[in-house]
Each structure stands twice: as structure tokens, then as C-alpha cells.
Amino acid sequence: MSVRVRYAPSPTGSPHVGNVRTAIYNWLFARHEGGTFIVRLEDTDRSPERYVPEGIFDIEASLRFLGTLPDAWWVTGGPDAPYVQSQRLETYSDAARKLIDSGKAYRCYCTRERLEAMRASQQAEGKPTGYDRHCRDPKLREALRLQRLEAEGQEPSSVVRLAMPLEGVTILHDVVRGDISYENRLQDDQVILKSDGFPTYFLAAAVDDHAFGITHIIRGDDWLSSAPKLVQVFHALGWEPPKFVHPPLIVGPDGKKLSKRHGATQFAWFLEQGYLPEALFNFLVLLGWSAGSENRELFSVPELIERFTLEGMTQSPAVFDYEKLKWMNGHYIRRSEPGRIIGMCLPYLRRAGLIPDPPGPDAKDPEKEAYRINVLDYARRVIPLEIERMKVLSEVTDLVGFFFKELSYPEGYDEKAIAKWMGVPHLKQLLTAEIEQFGALTEWTAESIEATVRSIGADLGVKFGEVIHPTRVAATGQTVGPGLFETLWALGKERTINRLRAVLEKV
RNA sequence: GGGGAUAUCGUCUAGAGGUUAGGACGAGGGAUUUUCAGUCCUUAAGCCGGGGUUCGAUUCCCCGUAUCCCUACCA
């Protein structure tokens, strides 16, 4: 039977990177096996604090960004549509009814108050917490129902609970962890249908996984403990559960499940910061999976599809190392087509106010032309010089800022840079000579600039560094940056001379 | 309190009875060079503890310890 896997996110906002990784694993496995990758929305939790309807767009965006497109989902539909659980409520209530009829589940009329009191006393006595199965007894259940009926004057609300077997064990066959057994008597009579008519995860997942013909459930390790309940729902419904695959959790530096406390974890943040899809993809895959003895960590997506097997899954939690991600992102930035990086950088420059917004579609041609020459061409000349220094795209604004900002000495100049180089004795002579000789250059190239600067240095009788550094500071306001000559070239003759002149006037 | 899982450099990991315990990020040093970055070379850094099994355990088993996860009308 061919592999069918699913990614089942909930719309709670921008996806957590852990979920993104789960999506990647499912997608890779499906692609490696030539199987089917299904994405369905688990929107059965309607409580306002957790239900974020717009989250669905973030989920879609994350899948598109990474290129892990499903074979079937709510966007394109598919043979098992709909792929949104809130649109399948009848299926779940049918299943619940079937379970009640067969005695595998029962209605529970316990109030939240009773449940809370029960839990409180269990905790106070140091006893294991869990539902006391009060309503599993038909007599007690009916008594409670009548009591509430009388008090409330109408049929009381109820939930449906799974009647867990009271004996025996549930064996979970986990592909990465082997067989795990759980004692049934320790499992709760889980609520499977809520009083609002929505199913809980356990019912909905079992029903849908069965309906979709899912063969492997690949999901985070945080689901491992509750897996026997899911398995029991399958059994109760008379179905064979899929195979389970529980990759390890992604944790923070403190070893706890990665969350906001550890820094940004949401997909949207990585997008804003300027992480490349291939870097995120590559990095996330390696958090819980390894290509074995290959001793490599840089893989293209096709290479990963080729290599991705469940045997490569690791089993201990992985700390999310932002530094390593940055390194990898820098690596991919450097290996990208510069044009692509430039295009991705422009929005950051615009947002930082370094370059203006492009003229609208109905702008006049001369205006468009001016924008192309003054803004785009300049950006295209300047950004490539900083590409090897970028770890994330958003850094571009700091990196190329000096190219765009208006500098007026000492405004905009780095203090330490001034202290170090704007007081050297030969400064005025140097700047004067540069302004004059640069002005006379007919060809403004890195080579011609270098030749000019070198000869000025020789005339002044100072070491190369003694002319390089002051020149850089005068022209850029800082001590770091790309090679001086390409920097001046990119800056342009006019801008360079203007800046040098402004400095000369003030020192 | 109960249950489950996990345990190799600081971090991600390779290893599947005998290895100089390998690679990567990060850190240190060096080279290149006009700075930074990059690139190249290089150094330090690890098998949780205790019992077994075995001629021999990082590796297999048990116990302990530690950590994490679950323990909701959330997923």
C-alpha cells in the first residue's frame, strides 16, 4: 500500500517551527516514498483564546514558502474533501453515536465544577488525577442527568467520553521508538465529543485518518503520551490504527519545549528576519533527523528527498541553535544568485526608509526611469558588495545603510572611527589629493581608484593602511565594510568626492 | 502524585562489541588581506552513574539519577 501521510495543524496563529518541521518530515517522507501528502485543518477548538481564524493563511504561507505543497488540502481540495474539520462535524457525531451504541463510549453529564473539585481533591490527596468515571455507571449517569434536568429546567449539556478498557495494555508500534506499552487502567476516559458538538482531537483525528487512508502518523513527541488514547479510539471504531512516528521535540537552551520564552518560534518571525526557505528547510530537517554516516549537513531539497527515511530519525530532543541556523542561512545567501538576494533585500531597504517606494503603475515613464536609475541600479550595485556579510536578509539595512544615508561629518560617522582615523596628521593632504585626483579620473573603476589612492599614499610617504583607513572612514563613516576601492566605485565618483569634501571642510 | 520517553564535545549529530570516538555550529590560534566578513589551515572540547552479559563495552540488559513530555469539554 502506498504511503499516505498528513500534517494536521491547528489555526492558532503563525505556525510554530516545530510544526513546520513536522510538515517537512511528512512531505519528505511522502515524496521519498512516492506517496501522498495531505494537509487538513484541525480547527475543532473554538475557544476564543486559541482559535485564530486568520491562522489558516499563515499555515498556507508557510507551506508555500518552504515548497512543501500538499497533494490535497483545503486550498486545492481533493478526493476526501473537505479538509477542514469544522466542516466535517457530522462525521464525528456519527462516529460518536456509533461508539455510544456499541458501548464503547458514554455520555457524561458531569459539570465543570464537579470535575474541578474532583481534580482538586485528587491533587490534595496526592493521588493520580483523572476522570473518576462517574458517568460510566448508567445509574449514576441517569441520576445526575435527572438532577441537572430538574435544576436547569432543560436537557442538560453533556459530552461523550471514550470508555477505556479497564484491563490489558495498549501497545503502540512507533517506528522510531519501537513498541511502547501502556496500561489501559491508567488511561483516562477521554472526552471525544465536546458539549458544543465539536469533537476533540482524539475522535476527529481517528475518524479523518481512517477516512483519508493515512498510513503513518508523523507528529511531535509531545503526542507520545496520549497516543494510546488515540489508538483506543481506532480500536473502538473497529479500525486498525496507522503506524506512528514520533520525532523528538525541539527544545530551547534550557531543555524545555521550544516556546516564546526562548525567543521567536513562529514561522512569521523567520520570514521577517530574512531566512531563506532552503536554509530553514535544511536546518529544521537536521533537528531530529540525520543522514547517517555521510558526515554532511548541507543538503538541497532533492538530496533530502532522496535520503529521507524514517530510520534516520533521532530520538532525543534537539536544542534549537539560532547561531547554527544563521550560519546556514549565510551559507545559502552566499550561494544564491545575487539577483535573487537583491530582490529579497529591497523590501527591507524600503521599510527602513533607505530607498523610496517605487512609483505606482500609472506613474509617468520618466519617473519610472529615474527610479530605475537612481534607486534600483544603485541598489543592484551596492547590495552584492555586502552579500557575503549577511547572515539574515534583514541585516542588509545596517550593512548598506552608509551607501544611502546622507552623511554630514561628523553626523552619521562612527565615533570610534573618527577618534581613530580622523586625527591623523596627513589627513588634510590626503583628502585634498584624493578630491583633486578623483575628480580628474575619466574612468571610475575599482582599478583606477586603487591606482590613484596608492600613488597618493606613495607621494605622502605613508603606509598603505594609513591612507586606506582614513579614506574609508571619510567616505563611509565607518571602519568596516567591503574592500575600499569597490566601495568607492559603488558609491560613485560624485558622492565620494562630496563626502570627502564635506569632511575636509570640517577637520 | 501517575504514566511515557530520552541520555556521545557548550549545541546538532555519526557510531550499531574491539575506532587515535568522526563531522558541523560555536570558541581559541594561524594564513590571506585595506577593515569587517568570507575562504583555507589548525587547537581545545564528549560517551550521566552503578551493576551485570562478554575475552572485551560508548554500543546489549537491569537499576539508579537527571531531563523532558502528557496527565483539559487544547491540539
Side-chain angles (χ1 to χ4, degrees):
Chain A
M1 184 165 66
S2 88
V3 160
R4 291 173 69 83
V5 292
R6 46 69 159 186
Y7 167 53
S10 293
T12 54
S14 181
H16 183 274
V17 286
N19 290 117
V20 172
R21 187 196 60 167
T22 298
I24 291 175
Y25 284 158
N26 276 283
W27 182 85
L28 276 177
F29 184 55
R31 292 296 167 268
H32 177 83
E33 300 288 336
T36 304
F37 176 52
I38 297 167
V39 175
R40 71 159 180 260
L41 192 69
E42 306 221 325
D43 58 345
T44 55
D45 184 355
R46 313 308 275 190
S47 59
E49 62 272 23
R50 284 186 297 265
Y51 178 50
V52 183
E54 314 81 63
I56 190 171
F57 299 113
D58 289 299
I59 293 166
E60 183 180 338
S62 64
L63 294 170
R64 289 190 185 284
F65 180 75
L66 291 166
T68 52
L69 287 178
D71 299 302
W73 59 334
W74 59 83
V75 178
T76 56
D80 304 306
Y83 294 93
V84 175
Q85 291 188 326
S86 60
Q87 294 168 20
R88 307 169 62 84
L89 297 185
E90 228 174 286
T91 332
Y92 312 125
S93 50
D94 285 350
R97 200 170 307 121
K98 190 177 142 197
L99 289 174
I100 292 175
D101 291 346
S102 63
K104 301 283 177 52
Y106 58 90
R107 289 206 169 278
C108 169
Y109 294 93
C110 291
T111 60
R112 289 177 195 268
E113 293 70 41
R114 195 187 100 79
L115 261 17
E116 275 162 29
M118 176 196 72
R119 213 165 3 247
S121 78
Q122 285 168 338
Q123 275 167 352
E125 292 174 50
K127 290 204 277 205
T129 54
Y131 183 54
D132 61 6
R133 300 189 163 117
H134 179 271
C135 292
R136 188 158 172 169
D137 182 317
K139 291 200 188 74
L140 294 177
R141 172 171 69 235
E142 188 57 14
L144 182 54
R145 186 182 77 85
L146 292 172
Q147 182 193 326
R148 284 185 58 196
L149 177 61
E150 193 166 335
E152 297 166 26
Q154 56 179 339
E155 180 63 24
S157 64
S158 64
V159 301
V160 177
R161 287 182 184 271
L162 183 71
M164 272 304 277
L166 300 174
E167 298 177 334
V169 294
T170 301
I171 308 285
L172 183 78
H173 306 285
D174 188 278
V175 177
V176 335
R177 291 157 207 283
D179 288 356
I180 304 169
S181 69
Y182 303 81
E183 286 201 60
N184 291 151
R185 62 184 179 84
L186 299 173
Q187 301 301 318
D188 222 346
D189 278 3
Q190 187 68 37
V191 171
I192 55 175
L193 196 71
K194 298 180 266 190
S195 55
D196 63 0
F198 280 77
T200 61
Y201 165 79
F202 298 94
L203 214 214
V207 168
D208 286 348
D209 287 340
H210 180 259
F212 296 175
I214 298 303
T215 58
H216 301 255
I217 295 180
I218 307 177
R219 24 103 103 140
D221 179 65
D222 42 348
W223 291 95
L224 192 60
S225 311
S226 65
K229 294 180 192 169
L230 216 211
V231 170
Q232 283 301 336
V233 175
F234 273 98
H235 288 342
L237 256 5
W239 302 330
E240 191 58 31
K243 292 197 173 99
F244 286 86
V245 182
H246 288 102
L249 238 36
I250 298 177
V251 299
D254 60 355
K256 288 183 172 39
K257 185 154 75 161
L258 192 68
S259 71
K260 319 93 229 160
R261 323 198 330 274
H262 301 110
T265 57
Q266 302 209 303
F267 169 77
W269 181 84
F270 293 89
L271 207 56
E272 277 166 33
Q273 286 296 301
Y275 284 94
L276 263 29
E278 59 269 42
L280 218 40
F281 194 108
N282 192 159
F283 178 76
L284 252 17
V285 166
L286 261 28
L287 245 36
W289 180 87
S290 142
S293 51
E294 222 178 320
N295 267 166
R296 269 176 69 183
E297 44 285 314
L298 266 5
F299 294 100
S300 68
V301 171
E303 287 173 329
L304 286 168
I305 291 175
E306 189 186 334
R307 290 166 175 73
F308 191 82
T309 61
L310 266 18
E311 286 67 49
M313 216 66 99
T314 51
Q315 29 198 321
S316 47
V319 176
F320 192 99
D321 185 352
Y322 288 87
E323 284 306 309
K324 189 162 186 176
L325 204 213
K326 275 192 165 187
W327 160 76
M328 199 175 273
N329 201 55
H331 168 86
Y332 280 110
I333 287 177
R334 272 172 254 124
R335 269 152 194 76
S336 280
E337 280 296 316
R340 174 186 180 219
I341 301 302
I342 292 167
M344 293 178 88
C345 283
L346 292 178
Y348 292 97
L349 298 184
R350 248 181 267 133
R351 239 173 291 153
L354 258 20
I355 62 174
D357 288 336
D362 35 276
K364 299 270 192 307
D365 281 350
E367 195 189 339
K368 288 183 180 169
E369 183 67 0
Y371 185 80
R372 194 181 62 74
I373 294 172
N374 296 329
V375 178
L376 294 185
D377 284 354
Y378 188 43
R380 277 196 270 263
R381 196 159 75 222
V382 149
I383 294 173
L385 298 186
E386 295 285 9
I387 282 181
E388 64 184 14
R389 260 158 286 254
M390 282 179 214
K391 294 270 202 296
V392 291
L393 263 19
S394 57
E395 288 173 349
V396 72
T397 56
D398 287 339
L399 256 14
V400 303
F402 72 87
F403 278 110
F404 295 92
K405 283 185 205 146
E406 289 299 327
L407 297 180
S408 86
Y409 188 82
E411 211 105 323
Y413 281 69
D414 180 68
E415 270 180 49
K416 283 183 188 149
I418 294 177
K420 185 152 189 203
W421 294 109
M422 292 295 90
V424 295
H426 59 283
L427 182 66
K428 285 194 177 190
Q429 288 169 283
L430 172 66
L431 294 177
T432 307
E434 284 176 341
I435 290 164
E436 188 190 315
Q437 294 184 35
F438 283 166
L441 282 178
T442 50
E443 238 187 41
W444 186 253
T445 63
E447 292 71 29
S448 67
I449 298 166
E450 174 164 5
T452 307
V453 172
R454 281 190 186 275
S455 95
I456 292 174
D459 291 346
L460 258 30
V462 296
K463 282 190 284 187
F464 198 38
E466 300 282 311
V467 339
I468 288 286
H469 299 308
T471 304
R472 175 191 302 283
V473 173
T476 70
Q478 53 190 47
T479 55
V480 299
L484 179 64
F485 310 116
E486 50 182 356
T487 298
L488 297 187
W489 162 76
L491 219 36
K493 182 167 158 179
E494 195 186 326
R495 207 184 261 103
T496 299
I497 293 175
N498 287 345
R499 287 185 178 185
L500 298 184
R501 191 171 281 140
V503 174
L504 182 59
E505 283 167 9
K506 304 239 177 98
V507 291

